[in-house]
Amino acid sequence: GFGEVDVLWFDSIIQYFWINAIKHKLSILRVSDVMDAFRKNTRNVKKVEERLKEHADYIIYTADSLRSYLNGFESKAFHVPNGVDIDHFLNANKEMPDDLRKVPGPIAIYVGAIDEWFGLDFMSEVAKDLPGISFVFIGEPRIDVSKLSSLKNVYFLGRKPYSTVPAYLYNSNAGIIVFDVKHPVVKSVNPIKLYEYMACGLPVVATRWKELDNIDSPAYLADGSRDFSVKLEQAIKIKNPGRFIDFAKKNSWMDRFEILREKVLSKKLVEI
């Protein structure tokens, strides 16, 4: 029953071939990264993306900085930031996971990709600076993290099912985002983890880049490792999570869908 659809949604250019294989009233491409910034990507990846930009009826982009990346297709593009599945986090199981029980508090937690844009050296400096805080990392490292994992207050717990992530967040004291802001990938990132951390009431401490300034969230944004350490010490002492949860509620995926629906309906291309 999927030979003809109302909306053909492309969240990845890998699925480009569906544009000619499935009849559709409307096609939408979601751009969340600068493909050129990933070292593993080839020229062919860029070519496929450009073709999809051309053929899609609409393009949505997740970060302000991505608008300039649309290469002449701005007229059919609009900004829809990332968001959070608020119910998944607010109504989740909050019982402490077994492998977190062995970790002494307070806990600063990171959930997500540990790849070429991860601030490994930066994080090592922070962990050494704050031996009284345990740093927990959820995710499968794709880089050599021995410099960090060798520290006594650092714990790599591996990849976890999405359903269990809230339990790790609820039993931590702060969420951290430690990206290498000099890496070209980072400038176009609108981090989903920021919304997910806050949905669980966690204060967030992050390295500063322009997109985070634009979001205007209650996160602590740090300039340099020492500033990060100072702000993390402040964040873990916060006892009232209300403002963080309120921010997450205002940035749910349902709110993002309403933006999309308004834009689509305003053009009267399809009723969703």
Side-chain angles (χ1 to χ4, degrees):
F2 286 93
E4 185 171 350
V5 299
D6 289 330
V7 179
L8 193 56
W9 176 283
F10 293 93
D11 202 51
S12 168
I13 61 171
I14 294 174
Q15 303 297 325
Y16 167 76
F17 58 90
W18 290 121
I19 196 83
N20 296 316
I22 296 179
K23 291 182 180 179
H24 53 278
K25 297 177 183 177
L26 179 75
S27 59
I28 299 174
L29 168 64
R30 178 176 175 268
V31 176
S32 58
D33 293 294
V34 175
M35 288 298 174
D36 313 62
F38 293 89
R39 294 169 188 158
K40 64 182 179 181
N41 284 345
T42 66
R43 292 180 182 177
N44 286 336
V45 170
K46 180 66 175 177
K47 288 180 180 179
V48 169
E49 185 186 43
E50 289 302 309
R51 289 174 190 162
L52 197 47
K53 285 179 184 177
E54 182 179 356
H55 286 96
D57 294 306
Y58 276 119
I59 301 172
I60 65 174
Y61 55 98
T62 58
D64 284 331
S65 62
L66 286 167
R67 183 170 179 81
S68 60
Y69 176 65
L70 299 180
N71 298 331
F73 298 108
E74 293 89 348
S75 62
K76 61 178 179 180
F78 51 93
H79 183 212
V80 180
N82 285 323
V84 60
D85 182 351
I86 193 70
D87 290 336
H88 175 77
F89 288 89
L90 289 182
N91 303 321
N93 175 23
K94 299 178 177 63
E95 185 177 352
M96 180 177 285
D98 290 339
D99 55 354
L100 201 60
R101 295 182 187 277
K102 65 180 181 181
V103 179
I107 294 173
I109 191 167
Y110 173 92
V111 180
I114 305 171
D115 213 319
E116 59 185 76
W117 55 88
F118 182 82
L120 184 64
D121 293 335
F122 181 97
M123 190 64 251
S124 298
E125 292 175 8
V126 172
K128 290 176 182 177
D129 196 31
L130 300 173
I133 296 177
S134 294
F135 294 88
V136 170
F137 296 90
I138 304 295
E140 198 64 43
R142 296 180 180 176
I143 56 174
D144 181 2
V145 295
S146 57
K147 176 187 290 188
L148 189 55
S149 61
S150 62
L151 301 178
K152 293 182 179 180
N153 60 330
V154 172
Y155 302 81
F156 282 87
L157 302 186
R159 175 178 284 187
K160 303 296 177 183
Y162 181 65
S163 60
T164 68
V165 168
Y168 286 90
L169 298 181
Y170 276 112
N171 288 283
S172 299
N173 302 93
I176 57 175
I177 303 174
V178 281
F179 290 165
D180 177 3
V181 295
K182 295 180 180 179
H183 195 289
V185 166
V186 175
K187 69 177 181 179
S188 62
V189 171
N190 182 280
I192 292 177
K193 59 175 58 61
L194 179 143
Y195 307 109
E196 294 180 341
Y197 291 164
M198 290 191 177
C200 295
L202 282 182
V204 176
V205 185
T207 47
R208 183 192 299 273
W209 67 92
K210 187 175 181 180
E211 183 67 18
L212 285 187
D213 280 324
N214 292 342
I215 291 173
D216 193 27
S217 77
Y220 292 79
L221 305 184
D223 301 295
S225 60
R226 183 57 195 149
D227 190 33
F228 193 101
S229 296
V230 170
K231 287 176 176 173
L232 181 55
E233 287 184 306
Q234 295 171 351
I236 62 176
K237 295 176 183 178
I238 295 175
K239 303 300 182 183
N240 184 4
R243 61 189 173 120
F244 308 120
I245 296 174
D246 288 344
F247 176 80
K249 286 180 177 178
K250 294 175 183 177
N251 290 277
S252 71
W253 283 122
M254 186 55 68
D255 290 321
R256 302 309 191 226
F257 177 72
E258 290 303 324
I259 297 174
L260 176 64
R261 183 158 62 177
E262 179 184 346
K263 296 291 185 179
V264 170
L265 290 176
S266 68
K267 298 296 182 180
K268 299 182 179 179
L269 290 175
V270 63
E271 293 188 2
I272 301 177

